[in-house]
Amino acid sequence: MNISLFDVVGPVMIGPSSSHTAGAAKLARVASGIAPRGFAALFIQLAGSFAKTGKGHGTDKALLAGALGFSESDERIREAYQIADERGIKYAFSDIDLPDAHENTARLTFKYADKPDFTVEGSSIGGGRIIITEIDGSKTSFNAEAPTIVIRQLDKPGVVNDVSGILAESGINIAVMRLDRDSRGGMANCVIETDANIDENTVSALEHVTNVVSVRAINL
Amino acid sequence: MYNTISQLISASREKPMHEVIIDDEMALTGVPRGDVYLRMHTSFSVMQKSALKALDTPQHMTPPLIKGQSSLQHKYADGATLCGKEVNEMMAMALSASEVNASMGRICAAPTAGSCGILPAVITTAAKKLGSNKNEIAEALIVASGIGAVIMRNATVSGAEGGCQAECGAAAAMAAAACVYLSHGTPQMCAEAVSIALINCMGLVCDPVAGLVQLPCSFRNASQSANALSSADMALAGQTCPIPADEVIEAMFRVGHALPSSLRETAEGGIAATQTGKKISAEFFAAK
């Protein structure tokens, strides 16, 4: 059998919809884990079925709560608006037409006082599962079902070698590694799924690699 | 190793069915056997809470189409009923989980959020009657999950793909098999219960009013719980179905694909497309 029992009975989640509520919360939680820390405002664009039927499924609250770091089983998702207000985080929603995107897609733009905007796009693909498809304008593809390191880097020789060396030293086994670049020598997204959670020291070491721009770790 | 119900039954000649399923889970995920039990205990605890939460306390949801359904049934269960106290209490539990789900409360998808009331209601009812302990309940849930995995692998549990028969129908089939297992029925009896439960709801459409997971979802959680319990009783009585469970699952899948899109979670058919269904929808989407 190639399906886990806990994909049948599970996930434990906030209702009413695994795709429109739980998946939305996870999508935004992972997106905010990829974006730089400390955003001051969030602009959420909803496409397809998220835009059409999201209202009755709390998709808006789930996305906002996820971006604030709440898990898809946290009952505070209901109070996402109040919590964002209390934390002084501004938010806005709008619909967007993304013809080639999956039915349940959202684009999250994180806004900062002192940094340029950062955009993450992804889709909720059913049963609470998600896929991240775009990071700050560059294509990518991962599900965040394992601990994941997202490295923004310049497309230069040797980066992958240095990165894998640090992971080897930290005893972290690479399960999947994926590199997508905008253009030759331009920006690239390096997404690494690992078999173990990624500690702060490893993240810090990765940040010091030549030609690495930023590193974020999404632990389970 | 199993990918079908018939393989599951064959493998269960060597060892108990839940062991066969745990072995596959361990091979797939690397999770130790004790953790499989622990996680099932956790899932069941979430399930039970959702099945009890609205029994006395109506849950708030927008619009409040199913608010208070559970407490209404719960109160009624104590009086002179037709189905008896147990079945009415079971339906109240299924309605409770549905209310909790619609109110953005915490539930355990089983196999989906829309059908999250059936397994908790049915297993709690059967376990109470049979005096089952915690580990027996976990093992019955493991059996239900194994059956669900086969349905997911070889058919679908998505309302958008197969209609309500795929969601609440699959949940009823899983719950029926779990009850047979709790009652110490044979693996073949578990398979018969799966067949009977799926046959009893074959063709059931997914027609949510205003696209919300409220109506008819809550009533279907209650009625498919009754389907599960009665299917288990039929299988335990020795009823057999000449069509094997794997073929019934395949038939359910084909029927699902034969359903027009209007009857697969699009809110464009069934009770969603009635005059009143459309009115409720228009009012909801007009409200700020």
Side-chain angles (χ1 to χ4, degrees), chain A residues 1-2 4-6 8-11 13-16 55-57 73 75 78, chain B residues 2 24-25 39 47 101 103-107 109 111 113 145 153 211-212 284 287:
Chain A
M1 179 52 65
N2 59 354
S4 165
L5 303 181
F6 301 98
V8 183
V9 171
M13 53 169 270
I14 296 306
K55 182 182 169 183
H57 296 119
S73 63
E75 284 185 313
R78 270 189 209 144
Chain B
Y2 71 99
D24 266 35
E25 178 71 13
R39 289 186 63 181
M47 284 182 179
N101 183 51
S103 72
M104 296 189 81
R106 189 186 291 120
I107 55 99
S145 304
R153 189 183 199 278
L212 302 165
F284 170 63

PDB file of all heavy atoms in Angstrom, chain A residues 1-2 4-6 8-11 13-16 55-57 73 75 78, chain B residues 2 24-25 39 47 101 103-107 109 111 113 145 153 211-212 284 287:
ATOM      1  N   MET A   1       0.862  -1.205   0.000  1.00  0.00           N
ATOM      2  CA  MET A   1       0.000   0.000   0.000  1.00  0.00           C
ATOM      3  C   MET A   1       0.889   1.242   0.000  1.00  0.00           C
ATOM      4  O   MET A   1       1.812   1.329   0.783  1.00  0.00           O
ATOM      5  CB  MET A   1      -0.908  -0.051   1.243  1.00  0.00           C
ATOM      6  CG  MET A   1      -1.820   1.142   1.384  1.00  0.00           C
ATOM      7  SD  MET A   1      -2.810   1.521  -0.076  1.00  0.00           S
ATOM      8  CE  MET A   1      -3.868   0.072  -0.212  1.00  0.00           C
ATOM      9  N   ASN A   2       0.594   2.146  -0.874  1.00  0.00           N
ATOM     10  CA  ASN A   2       1.419   3.359  -0.976  1.00  0.00           C
ATOM     11  C   ASN A   2       0.747   4.580  -0.332  1.00  0.00           C
ATOM     12  O   ASN A   2       1.150   5.710  -0.563  1.00  0.00           O
ATOM     13  CB  ASN A   2       1.744   3.646  -2.440  1.00  0.00           C
ATOM     14  CG  ASN A   2       0.497   3.831  -3.279  1.00  0.00           C
ATOM     15  OD1 ASN A   2      -0.620   3.644  -2.791  1.00  0.00           O
ATOM     16  ND2 ASN A   2       0.656   4.196  -4.520  1.00  0.00           N
ATOM     17  N   SER A   4      -0.461   6.203   3.362  1.00  0.00           N
ATOM     18  CA  SER A   4      -0.346   6.067   4.812  1.00  0.00           C
ATOM     19  C   SER A   4      -1.727   6.083   5.466  1.00  0.00           C
ATOM     20  O   SER A   4      -2.629   6.793   5.021  1.00  0.00           O
ATOM     21  CB  SER A   4       0.500   7.212   5.379  1.00  0.00           C
ATOM     22  OG  SER A   4       0.332   7.276   6.783  1.00  0.00           O
ATOM     23  N   LEU A   5      -1.853   5.322   6.559  1.00  0.00           N
ATOM     24  CA  LEU A   5      -3.110   5.299   7.323  1.00  0.00           C
ATOM     25  C   LEU A   5      -3.509   6.695   7.760  1.00  0.00           C
ATOM     26  O   LEU A   5      -4.692   7.008   7.876  1.00  0.00           O
ATOM     27  CB  LEU A   5      -2.943   4.415   8.567  1.00  0.00           C
ATOM     28  CG  LEU A   5      -2.510   2.962   8.333  1.00  0.00           C
ATOM     29  CD1 LEU A   5      -2.412   2.240   9.668  1.00  0.00           C
ATOM     30  CD2 LEU A   5      -3.474   2.270   7.400  1.00  0.00           C
ATOM     31  N   PHE A   6      -2.487   7.539   7.981  1.00  0.00           N
ATOM     32  CA  PHE A   6      -2.776   8.869   8.525  1.00  0.00           C
ATOM     33  C   PHE A   6      -3.105   9.884   7.424  1.00  0.00           C
ATOM     34  O   PHE A   6      -3.427  11.022   7.711  1.00  0.00           O
ATOM     35  CB  PHE A   6      -1.644   9.310   9.449  1.00  0.00           C
ATOM     36  CG  PHE A   6      -1.495   8.324  10.579  1.00  0.00           C
ATOM     37  CD1 PHE A   6      -0.529   7.325  10.539  1.00  0.00           C
ATOM     38  CD2 PHE A   6      -2.392   8.339  11.632  1.00  0.00           C
ATOM     39  CE1 PHE A   6      -0.445   6.375  11.549  1.00  0.00           C
ATOM     40  CE2 PHE A   6      -2.313   7.396  12.650  1.00  0.00           C
ATOM     41  CZ  PHE A   6      -1.337   6.407  12.605  1.00  0.00           C
ATOM     42  N   VAL A   8      -5.461   8.672   5.491  1.00  0.00           N
ATOM     43  CA  VAL A   8      -6.857   8.225   5.393  1.00  0.00           C
ATOM     44  C   VAL A   8      -7.631   8.786   6.589  1.00  0.00           C
ATOM     45  O   VAL A   8      -8.612   9.508   6.428  1.00  0.00           O
ATOM     46  CB  VAL A   8      -6.965   6.684   5.369  1.00  0.00           C
ATOM     47  CG1 VAL A   8      -8.420   6.267   5.182  1.00  0.00           C
ATOM     48  CG2 VAL A   8      -6.090   6.088   4.274  1.00  0.00           C
ATOM     49  N   VAL A   9      -7.174   8.421   7.792  1.00  0.00           N
ATOM     50  CA  VAL A   9      -7.756   9.001   9.006  1.00  0.00           C
ATOM     51  C   VAL A   9      -6.829  10.138   9.433  1.00  0.00           C
ATOM     52  O   VAL A   9      -5.815   9.942  10.067  1.00  0.00           O
ATOM     53  CB  VAL A   9      -7.914   7.939  10.101  1.00  0.00           C
ATOM     54  CG1 VAL A   9      -8.296   8.581  11.422  1.00  0.00           C
ATOM     55  CG2 VAL A   9      -8.983   6.934   9.696  1.00  0.00           C
ATOM     56  N   GLY A  10      -7.143  11.309   9.014  1.00  0.00           N
ATOM     57  CA  GLY A  10      -6.321  12.483   9.232  1.00  0.00           C
ATOM     58  C   GLY A  10      -6.320  13.323   7.974  1.00  0.00           C
ATOM     59  O   GLY A  10      -6.813  12.870   6.951  1.00  0.00           O
ATOM     60  N   PRO A  11      -5.870  14.506   7.981  1.00  0.00           N
ATOM     61  CA  PRO A  11      -5.215  15.142   9.115  1.00  0.00           C
ATOM     62  C   PRO A  11      -6.205  15.604  10.187  1.00  0.00           C
ATOM     63  O   PRO A  11      -7.397  15.730   9.912  1.00  0.00           O
ATOM     64  CB  PRO A  11      -4.552  16.365   8.469  1.00  0.00           C
ATOM     65  CG  PRO A  11      -5.442  16.718   7.320  1.00  0.00           C
ATOM     66  CD  PRO A  11      -5.976  15.391   6.821  1.00  0.00           C
ATOM     67  N   MET A  13      -7.462  18.632  11.842  1.00  0.00           N
ATOM     68  CA  MET A  13      -7.493  19.953  11.203  1.00  0.00           C
ATOM     69  C   MET A  13      -8.694  20.770  11.663  1.00  0.00           C
ATOM     70  O   MET A  13      -9.603  20.258  12.295  1.00  0.00           O
ATOM     71  CB  MET A  13      -7.581  19.770   9.686  1.00  0.00           C
ATOM     72  CG  MET A  13      -8.745  18.854   9.276  1.00  0.00           C
ATOM     73  SD  MET A  13      -9.096  18.855   7.520  1.00  0.00           S
ATOM     74  CE  MET A  13     -10.300  20.212   7.443  1.00  0.00           C
ATOM     75  N   ILE A  14      -8.644  22.046  11.323  1.00  0.00           N
ATOM     76  CA  ILE A  14      -9.780  22.926  11.531  1.00  0.00           C
ATOM     77  C   ILE A  14     -10.666  22.836  10.296  1.00  0.00           C
ATOM     78  O   ILE A  14     -10.175  22.889   9.167  1.00  0.00           O
ATOM     79  CB  ILE A  14      -9.273  24.373  11.741  1.00  0.00           C
ATOM     80  CG1 ILE A  14      -8.435  24.463  13.007  1.00  0.00           C
ATOM     81  CG2 ILE A  14     -10.427  25.366  11.768  1.00  0.00           C
ATOM     82  CD1 ILE A  14      -9.119  23.954  14.260  1.00  0.00           C
ATOM     83  N   GLY A  15     -11.970  22.628  10.509  1.00  0.00           N
ATOM     84  CA  GLY A  15     -12.894  22.500   9.398  1.00  0.00           C
ATOM     85  C   GLY A  15     -13.156  23.841   8.739  1.00  0.00           C
ATOM     86  O   GLY A  15     -12.640  24.861   9.184  1.00  0.00           O
ATOM     87  N   PRO A  16     -13.968  23.869   7.706  1.00  0.00           N
ATOM     88  CA  PRO A  16     -14.753  22.742   7.216  1.00  0.00           C
ATOM     89  C   PRO A  16     -14.154  21.983   6.029  1.00  0.00           C
ATOM     90  O   PRO A  16     -14.692  20.969   5.641  1.00  0.00           O
ATOM     91  CB  PRO A  16     -16.049  23.432   6.764  1.00  0.00           C
ATOM     92  CG  PRO A  16     -15.626  24.777   6.284  1.00  0.00           C
ATOM     93  CD  PRO A  16     -14.448  25.163   7.175  1.00  0.00           C
ATOM     94  N   LYS A  55     -15.081  31.881   0.677  1.00  0.00           N
ATOM     95  CA  LYS A  55     -15.796  32.585   1.735  1.00  0.00           C
ATOM     96  C   LYS A  55     -16.469  31.635   2.738  1.00  0.00           C
ATOM     97  O   LYS A  55     -16.324  31.793   3.943  1.00  0.00           O
ATOM     98  CB  LYS A  55     -16.837  33.503   1.106  1.00  0.00           C
ATOM     99  CG  LYS A  55     -17.597  34.323   2.130  1.00  0.00           C
ATOM    100  CD  LYS A  55     -18.658  35.185   1.480  1.00  0.00           C
ATOM    101  CE  LYS A  55     -19.552  35.766   2.558  1.00  0.00           C
ATOM    102  NZ  LYS A  55     -20.641  36.565   2.015  1.00  0.00           N
ATOM    103  N   GLY A  56     -17.182  30.651   2.223  1.00  0.00           N
ATOM    104  CA  GLY A  56     -17.910  29.738   3.105  1.00  0.00           C
ATOM    105  C   GLY A  56     -17.010  28.740   3.812  1.00  0.00           C
ATOM    106  O   GLY A  56     -17.464  27.999   4.669  1.00  0.00           O
ATOM    107  N   HIS A  57     -15.745  28.703   3.436  1.00  0.00           N
ATOM    108  CA  HIS A  57     -14.834  27.728   4.024  1.00  0.00           C
ATOM    109  C   HIS A  57     -13.774  28.373   4.903  1.00  0.00           C
ATOM    110  O   HIS A  57     -12.848  27.703   5.349  1.00  0.00           O
ATOM    111  CB  HIS A  57     -14.157  26.908   2.920  1.00  0.00           C
ATOM    112  CG  HIS A  57     -15.126  26.090   2.129  1.00  0.00           C
ATOM    113  ND1 HIS A  57     -15.319  26.239   0.784  1.00  0.00           N
ATOM    114  CD2 HIS A  57     -15.990  25.136   2.517  1.00  0.00           C
ATOM    115  CE1 HIS A  57     -16.248  25.404   0.372  1.00  0.00           C
ATOM    116  NE2 HIS A  57     -16.678  24.717   1.402  1.00  0.00           N
ATOM    117  N   SER A  73      -4.336  22.880  12.605  1.00  0.00           N
ATOM    118  CA  SER A  73      -5.229  22.281  13.602  1.00  0.00           C
ATOM    119  C   SER A  73      -5.461  23.233  14.783  1.00  0.00           C
ATOM    120  O   SER A  73      -5.973  22.831  15.821  1.00  0.00           O
ATOM    121  CB  SER A  73      -4.647  20.951  14.103  1.00  0.00           C
ATOM    122  OG  SER A  73      -3.422  21.181  14.748  1.00  0.00           O
ATOM    123  N   GLU A  75      -7.345  26.072  16.718  1.00  0.00           N
ATOM    124  CA  GLU A  75      -8.692  26.646  16.700  1.00  0.00           C
ATOM    125  C   GLU A  75      -8.694  28.174  16.655  1.00  0.00           C
ATOM    126  O   GLU A  75      -9.728  28.790  16.409  1.00  0.00           O
ATOM    127  CB  GLU A  75      -9.510  26.128  17.901  1.00  0.00           C
ATOM    128  CG  GLU A  75      -9.966  24.702  17.668  1.00  0.00           C
ATOM    129  CD  GLU A  75     -10.868  24.159  18.754  1.00  0.00           C
ATOM    130  OE1 GLU A  75     -10.525  24.330  19.936  1.00  0.00           O
ATOM    131  OE2 GLU A  75     -11.886  23.558  18.408  1.00  0.00           O
ATOM    132  N   ARG A  78     -10.067  30.725  13.615  1.00  0.00           N
ATOM    133  CA  ARG A  78     -11.320  31.496  13.618  1.00  0.00           C
ATOM    134  C   ARG A  78     -11.107  32.975  13.913  1.00  0.00           C
ATOM    135  O   ARG A  78     -11.820  33.820  13.416  1.00  0.00           O
ATOM    136  CB  ARG A  78     -12.207  30.965  14.741  1.00  0.00           C
ATOM    137  CG  ARG A  78     -13.111  29.872  14.372  1.00  0.00           C
ATOM    138  CD  ARG A  78     -14.043  29.668  15.561  1.00  0.00           C
ATOM    139  NE  ARG A  78     -14.470  28.284  15.606  1.00  0.00           N
ATOM    140  CZ  ARG A  78     -14.656  27.609  16.733  1.00  0.00           C
ATOM    141  NH1 ARG A  78     -14.438  28.182  17.905  1.00  0.00           N
ATOM    142  NH2 ARG A  78     -15.070  26.371  16.698  1.00  0.00           N
TER     143      ARG A  78
ATOM    144  N   TYR B   2      -0.592  -5.409   0.693  1.00  0.00           N
ATOM    145  CA  TYR B   2      -1.933  -5.424   0.117  1.00  0.00           C
ATOM    146  C   TYR B   2      -2.186  -4.140  -0.664  1.00  0.00           C
ATOM    147  O   TYR B   2      -1.705  -3.074  -0.282  1.00  0.00           O
ATOM    148  CB  TYR B   2      -3.000  -5.562   1.221  1.00  0.00           C
ATOM    149  CG  TYR B   2      -3.140  -4.323   2.069  1.00  0.00           C
ATOM    150  CD1 TYR B   2      -4.163  -3.411   1.814  1.00  0.00           C
ATOM    151  CD2 TYR B   2      -2.242  -4.037   3.094  1.00  0.00           C
ATOM    152  CE1 TYR B   2      -4.283  -2.246   2.570  1.00  0.00           C
ATOM    153  CE2 TYR B   2      -2.363  -2.882   3.842  1.00  0.00           C
ATOM    154  CZ  TYR B   2      -3.382  -1.993   3.585  1.00  0.00           C
ATOM    155  OH  TYR B   2      -3.490  -0.845   4.323  1.00  0.00           O
ATOM    156  N   ASP B  24       2.415  -2.837   6.595  1.00  0.00           N
ATOM    157  CA  ASP B  24       2.519  -2.010   5.384  1.00  0.00           C
ATOM    158  C   ASP B  24       2.810  -0.560   5.745  1.00  0.00           C
ATOM    159  O   ASP B  24       3.580   0.113   5.060  1.00  0.00           O
ATOM    160  CB  ASP B  24       1.223  -2.091   4.566  1.00  0.00           C
ATOM    161  CG  ASP B  24       1.306  -3.166   3.485  1.00  0.00           C
ATOM    162  OD1 ASP B  24       1.943  -4.201   3.754  1.00  0.00           O
ATOM    163  OD2 ASP B  24       0.747  -2.960   2.387  1.00  0.00           O
ATOM    164  N   GLU B  25       2.193  -0.080   6.825  1.00  0.00           N
ATOM    165  CA  GLU B  25       2.412   1.305   7.253  1.00  0.00           C
ATOM    166  C   GLU B  25       3.877   1.511   7.663  1.00  0.00           C
ATOM    167  O   GLU B  25       4.504   2.512   7.301  1.00  0.00           O
ATOM    168  CB  GLU B  25       1.479   1.644   8.431  1.00  0.00           C
ATOM    169  CG  GLU B  25       1.645   3.040   9.003  1.00  0.00           C
ATOM    170  CD  GLU B  25       1.130   4.150   8.086  1.00  0.00           C
ATOM    171  OE1 GLU B  25       0.422   3.829   7.107  1.00  0.00           O
ATOM    172  OE2 GLU B  25       1.451   5.318   8.327  1.00  0.00           O
ATOM    173  N   ARG B  39      -0.530   7.349  17.509  1.00  0.00           N
ATOM    174  CA  ARG B  39      -1.159   8.321  16.604  1.00  0.00           C
ATOM    175  C   ARG B  39      -2.635   8.012  16.420  1.00  0.00           C
ATOM    176  O   ARG B  39      -3.455   8.921  16.283  1.00  0.00           O
ATOM    177  CB  ARG B  39      -0.422   8.354  15.259  1.00  0.00           C
ATOM    178  CG  ARG B  39       0.950   9.008  15.382  1.00  0.00           C
ATOM    179  CD  ARG B  39       1.614   9.183  14.032  1.00  0.00           C
ATOM    180  NE  ARG B  39       0.849  10.079  13.160  1.00  0.00           N
ATOM    181  CZ  ARG B  39       1.213  10.382  11.916  1.00  0.00           C
ATOM    182  NH1 ARG B  39       2.311   9.865  11.404  1.00  0.00           N
ATOM    183  NH2 ARG B  39       0.482  11.200  11.194  1.00  0.00           N
ATOM    184  N   MET B  47     -11.379  12.843  17.355  1.00  0.00           N
ATOM    185  CA  MET B  47     -12.681  12.420  16.812  1.00  0.00           C
ATOM    186  C   MET B  47     -13.768  12.461  17.883  1.00  0.00           C
ATOM    187  O   MET B  47     -14.860  12.985  17.677  1.00  0.00           O
ATOM    188  CB  MET B  47     -12.587  10.971  16.310  1.00  0.00           C
ATOM    189  CG  MET B  47     -11.871  10.800  15.013  1.00  0.00           C
ATOM    190  SD  MET B  47     -11.936   9.043  14.595  1.00  0.00           S
ATOM    191  CE  MET B  47     -11.083   9.081  13.051  1.00  0.00           C
ATOM    192  N   ASN B 101     -17.189  20.862  12.565  1.00  0.00           N
ATOM    193  CA  ASN B 101     -16.462  21.085  11.314  1.00  0.00           C
ATOM    194  C   ASN B 101     -16.919  22.376  10.634  1.00  0.00           C
ATOM    195  O   ASN B 101     -16.105  23.204  10.230  1.00  0.00           O
ATOM    196  CB  ASN B 101     -16.682  19.888  10.389  1.00  0.00           C
ATOM    197  CG  ASN B 101     -15.893  19.994   9.095  1.00  0.00           C
ATOM    198  OD1 ASN B 101     -14.692  20.228   9.117  1.00  0.00           O
ATOM    199  ND2 ASN B 101     -16.568  19.843   7.974  1.00  0.00           N
ATOM    200  N   SER B 103     -18.206  24.909  11.945  1.00  0.00           N
ATOM    201  CA  SER B 103     -17.948  26.104  12.762  1.00  0.00           C
ATOM    202  C   SER B 103     -16.453  26.415  12.867  1.00  0.00           C
ATOM    203  O   SER B 103     -16.057  27.205  13.714  1.00  0.00           O
ATOM    204  CB  SER B 103     -18.528  25.905  14.161  1.00  0.00           C
ATOM    205  OG  SER B 103     -17.733  24.957  14.860  1.00  0.00           O
ATOM    206  N   MET B 104     -15.654  25.802  12.021  1.00  0.00           N
ATOM    207  CA  MET B 104     -14.193  25.970  12.062  1.00  0.00           C
ATOM    208  C   MET B 104     -13.610  25.474  13.382  1.00  0.00           C
ATOM    209  O   MET B 104     -12.681  26.060  13.938  1.00  0.00           O
ATOM    210  CB  MET B 104     -13.771  27.426  11.794  1.00  0.00           C
ATOM    211  CG  MET B 104     -14.130  27.889  10.398  1.00  0.00           C
ATOM    212  SD  MET B 104     -13.404  29.505   9.957  1.00  0.00           S
ATOM    213  CE  MET B 104     -11.739  29.027   9.487  1.00  0.00           C
ATOM    214  N   GLY B 105     -14.166  24.374  13.865  1.00  0.00           N
ATOM    215  CA  GLY B 105     -13.598  23.708  15.036  1.00  0.00           C
ATOM    216  C   GLY B 105     -12.639  22.614  14.599  1.00  0.00           C
ATOM    217  O   GLY B 105     -12.470  22.372  13.402  1.00  0.00           O
ATOM    218  N   ARG B 106     -12.039  21.929  15.599  1.00  0.00           N
ATOM    219  CA  ARG B 106     -11.030  20.917  15.281  1.00  0.00           C
ATOM    220  C   ARG B 106     -11.672  19.556  15.065  1.00  0.00           C
ATOM    221  O   ARG B 106     -12.443  19.082  15.902  1.00  0.00           O
ATOM    222  CB  ARG B 106      -9.991  20.832  16.397  1.00  0.00           C
ATOM    223  CG  ARG B 106      -8.801  19.953  16.016  1.00  0.00           C
ATOM    224  CD  ARG B 106      -7.826  19.733  17.153  1.00  0.00           C
ATOM    225  NE  ARG B 106      -7.105  20.934  17.492  1.00  0.00           N
ATOM    226  CZ  ARG B 106      -7.136  21.505  18.688  1.00  0.00           C
ATOM    227  NH1 ARG B 106      -7.838  20.968  19.652  1.00  0.00           N
ATOM    228  NH2 ARG B 106      -6.452  22.596  18.922  1.00  0.00           N
ATOM    229  N   ILE B 107     -11.352  18.933  13.946  1.00  0.00           N
ATOM    230  CA  ILE B 107     -11.873  17.597  13.627  1.00  0.00           C
ATOM    231  C   ILE B 107     -10.725  16.739  13.092  1.00  0.00           C
ATOM    232  O   ILE B 107      -9.642  17.243  12.813  1.00  0.00           O
ATOM    233  CB  ILE B 107     -13.005  17.658  12.568  1.00  0.00           C
ATOM    234  CG1 ILE B 107     -12.550  18.385  11.289  1.00  0.00           C
ATOM    235  CG2 ILE B 107     -14.234  18.359  13.123  1.00  0.00           C
ATOM    236  CD1 ILE B 107     -12.147  17.535  10.166  1.00  0.00           C
ATOM    237  N   ALA B 109     -10.163  14.453   9.834  1.00  0.00           N
ATOM    238  CA  ALA B 109     -10.715  14.026   8.545  1.00  0.00           C
ATOM    239  C   ALA B 109     -10.741  12.500   8.515  1.00  0.00           C
ATOM    240  O   ALA B 109      -9.754  11.860   8.867  1.00  0.00           O
ATOM    241  CB  ALA B 109      -9.872  14.563   7.401  1.00  0.00           C
ATOM    242  N   PRO B 111     -12.760   9.751   5.917  1.00  0.00           N
ATOM    243  CA  PRO B 111     -11.481  10.117   5.300  1.00  0.00           C
ATOM    244  C   PRO B 111     -11.419  11.580   4.899  1.00  0.00           C
ATOM    245  O   PRO B 111     -10.355  12.065   4.561  1.00  0.00           O
ATOM    246  CB  PRO B 111     -11.428   9.225   4.052  1.00  0.00           C
ATOM    247  CG  PRO B 111     -12.857   9.051   3.646  1.00  0.00           C
ATOM    248  CD  PRO B 111     -13.647   9.054   4.934  1.00  0.00           C
ATOM    249  N   ALA B 113     -13.020  15.850   5.607  1.00  0.00           N
ATOM    250  CA  ALA B 113     -13.622  16.719   6.613  1.00  0.00           C
ATOM    251  C   ALA B 113     -15.145  16.641   6.519  1.00  0.00           C
ATOM    252  O   ALA B 113     -15.841  16.599   7.536  1.00  0.00           O
ATOM    253  CB  ALA B 113     -13.137  18.154   6.413  1.00  0.00           C
ATOM    254  N   SER B 145      -8.848   2.323   8.424  1.00  0.00           N
ATOM    255  CA  SER B 145      -7.911   3.102   7.608  1.00  0.00           C
ATOM    256  C   SER B 145      -7.350   2.275   6.456  1.00  0.00           C
ATOM    257  O   SER B 145      -7.152   2.793   5.356  1.00  0.00           O
ATOM    258  CB  SER B 145      -6.761   3.621   8.460  1.00  0.00           C
ATOM    259  OG  SER B 145      -7.256   4.366   9.549  1.00  0.00           O
ATOM    260  N   ARG B 153      -6.815   4.351  -3.063  1.00  0.00           N
ATOM    261  CA  ARG B 153      -5.862   3.922  -4.079  1.00  0.00           C
ATOM    262  C   ARG B 153      -6.578   3.489  -5.360  1.00  0.00           C
ATOM    263  O   ARG B 153      -6.179   3.856  -6.452  1.00  0.00           O
ATOM    264  CB  ARG B 153      -5.036   2.747  -3.531  1.00  0.00           C
ATOM    265  CG  ARG B 153      -3.884   2.346  -4.399  1.00  0.00           C
ATOM    266  CD  ARG B 153      -3.176   1.141  -3.801  1.00  0.00           C
ATOM    267  NE  ARG B 153      -1.839   0.996  -4.346  1.00  0.00           N
ATOM    268  CZ  ARG B 153      -1.594   0.419  -5.506  1.00  0.00           C
ATOM    269  NH1 ARG B 153      -2.562  -0.067  -6.239  1.00  0.00           N
ATOM    270  NH2 ARG B 153      -0.333   0.321  -5.949  1.00  0.00           N
ATOM    271  N   GLY B 211     -22.546  25.608  -1.668  1.00  0.00           N
ATOM    272  CA  GLY B 211     -21.172  25.108  -1.684  1.00  0.00           C
ATOM    273  C   GLY B 211     -20.585  24.908  -0.295  1.00  0.00           C
ATOM    274  O   GLY B 211     -19.402  24.611  -0.153  1.00  0.00           O
ATOM    275  N   LEU B 212     -21.424  25.042   0.736  1.00  0.00           N
ATOM    276  CA  LEU B 212     -20.937  24.941   2.111  1.00  0.00           C
ATOM    277  C   LEU B 212     -20.992  23.505   2.616  1.00  0.00           C
ATOM    278  O   LEU B 212     -21.881  22.751   2.249  1.00  0.00           O
ATOM    279  CB  LEU B 212     -21.799  25.817   3.026  1.00  0.00           C
ATOM    280  CG  LEU B 212     -21.863  27.286   2.661  1.00  0.00           C
ATOM    281  CD1 LEU B 212     -23.002  27.970   3.391  1.00  0.00           C
ATOM    282  CD2 LEU B 212     -20.541  27.948   2.998  1.00  0.00           C
ATOM    283  N   PHE B 284     -26.492  34.251   1.121  1.00  0.00           N
ATOM    284  CA  PHE B 284     -25.171  34.107   1.746  1.00  0.00           C
ATOM    285  C   PHE B 284     -24.123  34.936   1.001  1.00  0.00           C
ATOM    286  O   PHE B 284     -23.340  35.655   1.615  1.00  0.00           O
ATOM    287  CB  PHE B 284     -24.762  32.633   1.803  1.00  0.00           C
ATOM    288  CG  PHE B 284     -23.338  32.413   2.215  1.00  0.00           C
ATOM    289  CD1 PHE B 284     -22.912  32.798   3.484  1.00  0.00           C
ATOM    290  CD2 PHE B 284     -22.422  31.841   1.350  1.00  0.00           C
ATOM    291  CE1 PHE B 284     -21.591  32.598   3.874  1.00  0.00           C
ATOM    292  CE2 PHE B 284     -21.109  31.646   1.739  1.00  0.00           C
ATOM    293  CZ  PHE B 284     -20.702  32.036   2.991  1.00  0.00           C
ATOM    294  N   ALA B 287     -24.503  38.707   1.506  1.00  0.00           N
ATOM    295  CA  ALA B 287     -24.163  39.242   2.843  1.00  0.00           C
ATOM    296  C   ALA B 287     -22.688  39.586   2.911  1.00  0.00           C
ATOM    297  O   ALA B 287     -21.861  38.912   2.324  1.00  0.00           O
ATOM    298  CB  ALA B 287     -24.521  38.210   3.904  1.00  0.00           C
TER     299      ALA B 287
END
